[in-house]
Amino acid sequence: MNLSTVPIIDQHAHNLLRPEHARTFAYPSAFTEGYAAEVVTRHAQETIFFRRSMREIAGILGCEPNLAAILEARERLGFEEVVRRCFEAAGFQSILLDDGFMPDQAMPTAWHNRFVRTYRLLRVEFLAERLIAETPTWPAFEEAFRAALQDPGPEVVGFKTIVAYRTGLAVEAPDPEAARSAFEAMRQQVEQGERLRLAHKPLNDWVVWCTLEAAARQGRPVQFHTGFGDPDLDLRWANPLHLRPLLEHPGFQRVPFVLLHASYPYTREAGYLAAVYPHVYTDLGLAIPFLSRSGMAFVVRAFLELAPISKILFSTDAHLIPELFYLGARWGRRILGEVLEATVHDGDLTAAEAEAAAEAILYRNAQTLYRL
Ligand SMILES: [Zn+2]
């Protein structure tokens, strides 16, 4: 099945790195979730993903498929031309950017509109950290945080939480006194000029809870980081099954929960949740394009085993460099085409149903969910 003309809504990705920062940054680090020096300089280039990507990127840049030639071509073409080529080849209808990742080193969200229609996802932990730094008292912080969620700006189409990274997905009903003392501890860090990192369970849980309350009022989706990521994460607490109390909570039934990154390796768990809860959605990002070819096919097949087609979303989780947008789009279309073709061969779907499924997964489901 050839899906090359089907548009894509990339429902979760991140802003590109500014060219002045890109110069000081090791290119292979965009191809690994690890950040230890030995991983970046040595092992990252030994993955199937890296090897396959070198050939694909060389095609787009018109150079030999090796790291040195790619770096030389990027320098020769210039940042904007590389971005233009990657976005043009990706064939996006629009992209949704979580701009809370390395915000001081990334291009502004609106800048990406030059290449593709761009919407914003509000990363709530980043918002909370900023407001804690600016707001001396708990009541003032509480009011400012709730107000920011209530009116996040016209370009914001969803919220994003990285609580999986900080204190885990087993979010509990907030204890306001404990949240307040965590806030006060962080305020002391502000006074001492320390860098803030929101990683106090009572306060992180409070932040997620307030977000879900706001999302319930607005019917706005909340994206949860689930599954693999960089080693800042304790993968045990990134299993989406920990979300059960939130998914069962009567106040949050109107909140679409979007489980990012195929929840890999908890992919079947995510597919199950999407099958039984009306308000749970799954996403293919990061798993595509980071896994091997058979790994990418596995995540698509694992979702299709049980999850409704209407609950599967597509994203690249591209970050730092434009090539990842291109790679995600290219492999997303190709793998989805192959797996859906197999469902026709198996007699699971008709050819027309498989085509409709590809459109649903690549853009229609996101269009409906985010009201784009
Ligand atoms: Zn992401």
Side-chain angles (χ1 to χ4, degrees):
M1 236 169 107
N2 180 359
L3 304 179
S4 60
T5 58
V6 181
I8 287 178
I9 294 178
D10 184 353
Q11 69 106 29
H12 174 90
H14 301 274
N15 302 41
L16 295 172
L17 201 60
R18 288 179 185 278
E20 62 268 30
H21 292 293
R23 261 176 219 114
T24 58
F25 145 96
Y27 192 69
S29 66
F31 298 83
T32 174
E33 285 292 314
Y35 42 64
E38 199 188 333
V39 169
V40 171
T41 56
R42 187 169 154 222
H43 302 295
Q45 299 181 45
E46 302 288 334
T47 63
I48 284 176
F49 172 46
F50 187 85
R51 299 280 169 83
R52 186 181 69 219
S53 298
M54 289 298 101
R55 294 191 292 275
E56 298 283 347
I57 293 167
I60 278 283
L61 302 184
C63 66
E64 289 296 309
N66 62 66
L67 182 57
I70 285 170
L71 293 178
E72 190 279 321
R74 294 179 104 245
E75 199 59 42
R76 177 166 40 79
L77 295 167
F79 175 60
E80 295 224 359
E81 174 60 14
V82 175
V83 178
R84 193 192 61 74
R85 287 187 185 201
C86 289
F87 277 104
E88 204 169 277
F92 293 123
Q93 185 179 102
S94 55
I95 60 174
L96 278 53
L97 295 184
D98 162 11
D99 53 9
F101 177 65
M102 297 171 69
D104 41 349
Q105 296 184 40
M107 296 302 284
T109 303
W111 175 86
H112 298 75
N113 274 307
R114 289 187 199 188
F115 304 96
V116 58
R117 180 74 176 93
T118 305
Y119 298 92
R120 227 185 124 209
L121 300 162
L122 180 65
R123 188 189 282 217
V124 293
E125 287 79 9
F126 177 63
L127 170 68
E129 283 166 353
R130 186 170 62 75
L131 292 175
I132 291 166
E134 292 170 0
T135 321
T137 68
W138 171 254
F141 166 72
E142 187 173 355
E143 195 187 320
F145 186 68
R146 288 188 194 275
L149 293 178
Q150 192 51 42
D151 185 14
E155 290 300 296
V156 172
V157 293
F159 298 119
K160 154 81 186 290
T161 170
I162 53 161
V163 69
Y165 266 102
R166 297 299 173 83
T167 48
L169 290 176
V171 172
E172 292 163 10
D175 169 349
E177 273 318 300
R180 184 189 187 125
S181 24
F183 168 84
E184 271 149 19
M186 286 186 77
R187 279 301 305 175
Q188 293 205 330
Q189 292 180 294
V190 176
E191 305 300 334
Q192 284 153 14
E194 287 172 33
R195 199 184 151 83
L196 288 186
R197 180 181 153 81
L198 180 63
H200 306 269
K201 188 161 167 51
L203 189 50
N204 285 74
D205 287 1
W206 182 90
V207 161
V208 172
W209 204 272
C210 286
T211 302
L212 290 168
E213 286 172 345
R217 283 192 298 274
Q218 300 161 8
R220 214 186 279 276
V222 180
Q223 298 189 349
F224 281 76
H225 177 101
T226 63
F228 74 141
D230 70 55
D232 193 24
L233 186 81
D234 185 333
L235 188 58
R236 293 170 297 179
W237 296 104
N239 185 331
L241 296 181
H242 288 298
L243 291 171
R244 178 176 165 83
L246 296 184
L247 299 177
E248 289 280 328
H249 192 276
F252 302 149
Q253 297 305 305
R254 282 192 63 238
V255 180
F257 284 68
V258 179
L259 311 179
L260 296 173
H261 313 325
S263 305
Y264 183 86
Y266 309 111
T267 306
R268 285 197 166 107
E269 285 83 342
Y272 165 76
L273 294 173
V276 296
Y277 288 103
H279 55 321
V280 172
Y281 293 78
T282 56
D283 157 76
L284 292 162
L286 192 63
I288 297 175
F290 263 62
L291 302 183
S292 70
R293 199 175 164 126
S294 66
M296 293 189 285
F298 157 74
V299 297
V300 177
R301 279 198 299 264
F303 283 163
L304 287 172
E305 279 175 6
L306 186 63
I309 290 157
S310 51
K311 299 298 210 74
I312 305 171
L313 300 166
F314 182 81
S315 77
T316 62
D317 196 35
H319 49 284
L320 304 172
I321 60 169
E323 289 90 325
L324 291 175
F325 283 93
Y326 165 65
L327 294 170
R330 175 161 170 84
W331 286 99
R333 283 196 186 87
R334 185 175 286 194
I335 297 295
L336 198 59
E338 286 174 8
V339 172
L340 286 170
E341 209 165 87
T343 66
V344 176
H345 180 80
D346 292 348
D348 278 337
L349 295 178
T350 66
E353 285 169 338
E355 244 162 73
E359 290 185 1
I361 293 168
L362 289 175
Y363 74 97
R364 280 194 209 284
N365 292 340
Q367 204 165 39
T368 308
L369 185 64
Y370 297 95
R371 303 175 203 148
L372 302 178

